[in-house]
Amino acid sequence: GEEVKRIESAGADWVHLDVMDGIFVPNITIGPVVISSVRKLTKMPFDVHLMIQRPMKYVKMFADAGSDMLTIHVDADGDVKETLKAIRDCGVRPGITLNPGIPVEKLDPYLDMVDLVLIMTVDAGFGGQSFKDVGLSKIARVKEYAESHNPKLEISVDGGINRDTGKRCVDAGATVLAAGSSLFGAADMKKEIA
């Protein structure tokens, strides 16, 4: 709760919450109960990144917990289109996520169903990794699609984001930067966000 308040007072626009199930990625983090608890502390949008094997099973729980956006991985188990539809049916904005090793073309069947595309520039599941340049061309390709089909599509980037890599991502077409270590490790988070 204190960290959510800190993020808000430092001037962040959204709170990006990483949910890990210990199966899709090796680590385990928070679940709907924690999201519900911190939801009471802020009106900032909650961008909830589901790094979980079977997202369909948990869509309603995370929606009810106060998520504004739910992003699932393109390679998670289950019917991706049905899961994205279920997210929207819960009144939450759906998103699709792509890890660095997956070709960007895997997003194509879902781009018209989502409000957000999350390009991972590190392998999902571990903080503090170094930025991988392979994400820049993927951002640019999604940006091309957005310009001709969906100008409101948010293009988010997560992994190794700092002042330098963030600028490179925005130059490639990103509209949202999800930064972790560079903000939480900064002496002055507000200055870093600015």
Side-chain angles (χ1 to χ4, degrees), residues 120-164:
M120 296 297 297
T121 50
V122 299
D123 294 312
F126 299 94
Q129 296 177 65
S130 297
F131 180 86
K132 294 181 181 179
D133 286 334
V134 67
L136 295 172
S137 62
K138 293 176 180 182
I139 296 165
R141 186 175 183 280
V142 173
K143 180 67 173 175
E144 280 181 36
Y145 168 86
E147 286 175 346
S148 60
H149 295 90
N150 183 3
K152 293 182 181 178
L153 182 67
E154 297 282 8
I155 304 168
S156 182
V157 187
D158 184 6
I161 299 297
N162 56 39
R163 291 181 186 203
D164 172 58

Side-chain angles (χ1 to χ4, degrees), residues 163-186:
R163 291 181 186 203
D164 172 58
T165 58
K167 181 178 182 340
R168 292 166 61 203
C169 290
V170 169
D171 289 346
T175 60
V176 177
L177 301 174
S181 300
S182 67
L183 295 182
F184 287 94

Side-chain angles (χ1 to χ4, degrees), residues 10-139:
D13 299 303
W14 297 358
V15 179
H16 181 90
L17 297 153
D18 283 336
V19 175
M20 304 179 202
D21 66 359
I23 301 167
F24 188 77
V25 294
N27 288 322
I28 298 173
T29 57
I30 62 173
V33 172
V34 174
I35 291 172
S36 180
S37 295
V38 295
R39 173 76 280 173
K40 300 169 190 156
L41 302 175
T42 183
K43 294 196 183 308
M44 288 180 25
F46 279 9
D47 171 20
V48 179
H49 176 191
L50 298 180
M51 290 178 257
I52 60 178
Q53 193 67 37
R54 294 181 300 163
M56 179 62 125
K57 182 176 178 181
Y58 302 98
V59 165
K60 183 161 176 21
M61 281 188 249
F62 282 103
D64 291 348
S67 303
D68 296 288
M69 292 160 269
L70 281 175
T71 306
I72 64 167
H73 279 258
V74 72
D75 55 333
D77 285 352
D79 187 314
V80 174
K81 286 187 177 184
E82 281 186 28
T83 306
L84 293 170
K85 183 182 179 314
I87 292 168
R88 192 169 304 279
D89 288 348
C90 286
V92 175
R93 297 173 64 195
I96 193 81
T97 309
L98 188 71
N99 269 325
I102 298 175
V104 70
E105 293 79 16
K106 292 281 187 182
L107 295 174
D108 290 350
Y110 314 109
L111 289 175
D112 64 343
M113 299 183 69
V114 297
D115 295 344
L116 176 118
V117 171
L118 174 58
I119 303 292
M120 296 297 297
T121 50
V122 299
D123 294 312
F126 299 94
Q129 296 177 65
S130 297
F131 180 86
K132 294 181 181 179
D133 286 334
V134 67
L136 295 172
S137 62
K138 293 176 180 182
I139 296 165

